[in-house]
Amino acid sequence: MSAVREDPRIGTGGPGGAGGQDEPDLLRDQFRQLLRYRLLIVCGILLGLAGGAWLGLSGNEAYIATSEVTVRVPTADPFAASPVDRVAMGSERRTAVSDIIAGRAADALGEPGAAGELKRGLTVTNPPNTEVLRFAYSHGDPETAADRANAFVAAYLANRRADAEESIAHNVASFEGQRQPLLDRRDQLETELDGLVEGSSTYDSAVADLSHVTGQISEINAQISSLQALDTTGGRIITEATPPGSPAGPGLPLLLGLGYVVGIGLGLLAAWVRLVFDPTVRSPGDVTRALRAPVLGVLPRTGRGHPDQLLAAGRLAEEYRSVAFRLAYDEAFAQRRRLLVVAPRGSIETPLAASVNLAAAFAEMGMDALLVEADLRTPTLAEQLRHTDGGRRPGWAGAPGYREGTWPAGSKVPIDAGESGIFDLVPGRRVRNVPRALTAPAATQLISHADAKGAVVVALAPAVLSYADAIALVDRVDGVLVVCDPGQVRRDDLARVRELVVGAGGTLLGAVLHSWGGGQEADRGEANATEVPGTRPRVASVDSREREQERRAARATQQDYRDVGSETLGLRVLDPADLDDGSPRP
């Protein structure tokens, strides 16, 4: 549970790091992140259902009538077994869908000019290892589908028969052409025999020639008779098309189910793409991997989206106590007991509440808690917390070079935290040169209060990536707690925070997450019309709009004295002779 400067468990195989999670844990984490994009998933489901409904309503209007034909070649014996693959079924299938067959079918249906239209609904297939052609015709009317399927079958068989008869007629004509000279020769030989003397050699020779010619004529006549005896039927119908009783297709319920499944896939794919290109962190695991520090707590969402008081109660207070206990037993924090609470960028409303509640939790644990408001640009804590009595002058007020009226103020204010007890507050104060005040000896002695036995210092600073104030305190406070909304902070922002903190010699103790959003502070001024335990009603100067005006005024007056982020190193090498603002000089 403890976090050290470079926790070997983070990022190198530990349970909290990117490489420390098992593959199932990573998959579960990614799946949970995908479920955050519920709108994309719902849109994918709706798209899938719409596609399934469209296919169901449009496809179900088609009726398919089927007829099957066994194809055979012309034969003299229709009962003789034909050898396998005697018919080229590929050629026959292409012939069945040709324009010639479509024209014959159109003539048979009484639509001679609709051959092209009739072909659109026809599908002819050949089941493997068979001499069967399956004619399937699709149409919106079942009667029409059956009639057209039967018309194509009849046209195909008629075309095959016509082709066979034409081939037979051609062959018969060829044989008759060969037979005619032989008939003429036979007549000539018979005439010669009448004039010859029987028994002579000439007579015997003529008889032999006549016998040979007669044999040839007989062979040709036999071939012609064989051709004329062929059965020219092109095939036999084994299944006649009848009007289908139901539309074709899987049906509307099944298509809707398939569309739902496909829609879920599309939605998850869109959510995954959105997740890949989303620069913001979406889970505690992403925060852990970016900061290489554990998530110490996740603040629960309250009924109004953001607590109306600084000192929390109920589940929110318990979560703050849990974070405080985890920090108290952390090795890195227990050695020095200095804690800097910051946000990556933007508003510090939530870090402000976190710092107050953590100080109260430490006080409840019996520690001497000191809350330091190091936000010297827009300090507001003194106006929002209930004071118990007059402040007292601490030891750091007598530090060398300390002047009255500068920051830290000359007294620390006891704050009533209700049942948690009392903790001390060093309120912030606007100064001309913020970096100089934060690096002054008085501020160093203030933070050294944590060296006392049983003492703890909680410091609140502006956002790390907005001002260099937090980085100026890192080498004095060491332990840094990042408070952020994972839905509004970017991964590269957290990585930059880690670079700045570690580069300045600090330690990232962990992160506290919340999901209250960044645009809900505007309505919090009026929400505090009644006093709640541990707080006091906010005055008009704390209202968000007036506070924004104060911030702008402070930026205008401090424009020449401000350093940001990358200039942090220069805060420690300023020449005191260059400053004339009354700030304490080291």
Side-chain angles (χ1 to χ4, degrees):
M1 182 167 60
S2 62
V4 296
R5 284 184 177 271
E6 192 63 40
D7 194 339
R9 299 173 303 167
I10 305 299
T12 59
Q21 290 181 314
D22 294 333
E23 191 68 23
D25 295 333
L26 289 175
L27 291 177
R28 282 192 292 268
D29 184 52
Q30 290 181 0
F31 185 75
R32 284 192 293 267
Q33 295 183 50
L34 288 178
L35 294 181
R36 294 177 179 270
Y37 303 102
R38 296 182 180 89
L39 180 59
L40 289 176
I41 297 177
V42 170
C43 290
I45 293 175
L46 293 178
L47 182 61
L49 290 176
W54 179 79
L55 290 176
L57 295 177
S58 61
N60 280 349
E61 295 179 356
Y63 292 82
I64 298 179
T66 303
S67 180
E68 293 181 337
V69 176
T70 300
V71 183
R72 64 172 187 172
V73 297
T75 178
D77 185 4
F79 300 101
S82 59
V84 180
D85 294 335
R86 186 173 180 181
V87 179
M89 297 304 299
S91 299
E92 294 299 324
R93 187 182 64 82
R94 295 182 63 87
T95 302
V97 296
S98 64
D99 293 337
I100 297 176
I101 305 300
R104 284 179 173 268
D107 294 337
L109 293 171
E111 303 176 9
E117 181 182 355
L118 291 177
K119 286 179 57 178
R120 295 192 186 98
L122 177 66
T123 302
V124 180
T125 58
N126 170 229
N129 302 322
T130 66
E131 293 185 354
V132 175
L133 288 181
R134 181 178 292 124
F135 290 76
Y137 199 91
S138 175
H139 195 269
D141 180 45
E143 299 289 343
T144 304
D147 293 341
R148 292 186 176 181
N150 291 325
F152 270 96
V153 169
Y156 170 73
L157 294 178
N159 182 73
R160 277 186 56 82
R161 182 165 191 167
D163 289 343
E165 291 177 349
E166 182 181 355
S167 298
I168 291 174
H170 176 74
N171 291 332
V172 169
S174 176
F175 282 124
E176 288 179 348
Q178 298 176 16
R179 186 183 60 179
Q180 187 60 41
L182 295 177
L183 292 175
D184 295 340
R185 176 62 177 168
R186 186 189 63 180
D187 294 339
Q188 180 181 359
L189 290 175
E190 289 178 349
T191 304
E192 291 178 355
L193 284 175
D194 293 339
L196 294 176
V197 177
E198 185 176 355
S200 62
S201 59
T202 305
Y203 180 84
D204 293 339
S205 176
V207 170
D209 290 342
L210 179 60
S211 176
H212 178 68
V213 170
T214 302
Q216 289 181 339
I217 292 173
S218 298
E219 291 178 1
I220 293 176
N221 289 334
Q223 291 179 352
I224 292 176
S225 298
S226 177
L227 288 174
Q228 292 176 342
L230 290 177
D231 182 6
T232 58
T233 303
R236 182 168 57 91
I237 299 175
I238 58 177
T239 302
E240 186 175 358
T242 57
S246 61
L252 182 60
L254 180 58
L255 287 176
L256 288 177
L258 293 176
Y260 179 77
V261 174
V262 173
I264 290 178
L266 291 177
L268 290 176
L269 177 61
W272 178 79
V273 173
R274 178 69 177 87
L275 177 64
V276 169
F277 292 99
D278 189 0
T280 60
V281 295
R282 287 295 182 179
S283 68
D286 284 347
V287 176
T288 299
R289 287 186 285 270
L291 287 178
R292 298 185 185 179
V295 174
L296 301 179
V298 179
L299 303 182
R301 184 188 295 271
T302 60
R304 294 180 58 86
H306 195 290
D308 291 334
Q309 66 273 4
L310 288 181
L311 291 177
R315 294 177 56 242
L316 186 58
E318 292 299 328
E319 187 64 28
Y320 279 124
R321 292 188 184 99
S322 175
V323 174
F325 272 102
R326 294 189 68 180
L327 288 172
Y329 291 98
D330 184 276
E331 295 178 1
F333 179 75
Q335 293 175 359
R336 302 192 64 181
R337 299 184 302 281
R338 295 174 172 86
L339 178 65
L340 180 63
V341 182
V342 294
R345 66 168 72 245
S347 171
I348 64 168
E349 291 291 330
T350 306
L352 183 145
S355 62
V356 172
N357 283 276
L358 289 176
F362 287 132
E364 187 177 10
M365 296 166 61
M367 297 183 178
D368 181 11
L370 175 63
L371 174 59
V372 178
E373 186 180 13
D375 180 11
L376 307 184
R377 302 179 187 273
T378 56
T380 60
L381 270 179
E383 301 173 346
Q384 302 180 54
L385 297 174
R386 180 193 299 171
H387 308 166
T388 59
D389 54 18
R392 59 186 183 275
R393 186 180 181 85
W396 47 264
Y402 174 78
R403 297 181 182 180
E404 293 290 343
T406 61
W407 189 88
S411 62
K412 54 184 179 181
V413 181
I415 300 299
D416 182 8
E419 297 180 356
S420 298
I422 297 176
F423 63 89
D424 293 330
L425 167 67
V426 177
R429 174 178 296 183
R430 288 180 179 173
V431 297
R432 291 186 58 193
N433 193 298
V434 176
R436 192 56 168 170
L438 293 175
T439 56
T444 302
Q445 188 171 358
L446 166 64
I447 297 174
S448 66
H449 171 77
D451 295 334
K453 184 177 181 180
V456 61
V457 172
V458 179
L460 170 68
V464 177
L465 301 180
S466 299
Y467 302 99
D469 303 356
I471 304 302
L473 295 171
V474 166
D475 61 346
R476 293 169 172 80
V477 179
D478 287 340
V480 178
L481 178 67
V482 178
V483 181
C484 63
D485 183 353
Q488 296 186 3
V489 67
R490 299 165 63 95
R491 296 185 183 91
D492 52 358
D493 287 346
L494 294 179
R496 179 60 176 161
V497 168
R498 172 175 172 76
E499 292 175 0
L500 291 175
V501 171
V502 175
T507 300
L508 278 169
L509 298 177
V512 173
L513 308 183
H514 67 90
S515 58
W516 299 328
Q520 300 177 1
E521 289 83 357
D523 299 331
R524 294 171 53 198
E526 301 178 358
N528 293 277
T530 59
E531 188 170 342
V532 293
T535 65
R536 55 184 292 182
R538 302 194 183 191
V539 295
S541 60
V542 189
D543 186 82
S544 59
R545 296 182 180 177
E546 297 187 7
R547 291 182 61 192
E548 182 63 22
Q549 295 176 358
E550 293 177 4
R551 289 190 181 97
R552 294 177 181 176
R555 292 169 186 165
T557 58
Q558 299 170 3
Q559 183 173 2
D560 298 333
Y561 302 96
R562 186 182 305 158
D563 278 317
V564 181
S566 61
E567 300 297 326
T568 301
L569 190 58
L571 299 178
R572 294 161 176 74
V573 295
L574 290 175
D575 189 354
D578 295 337
L579 301 175
D580 189 17
D581 58 351
S583 300
R585 294 179 172 82

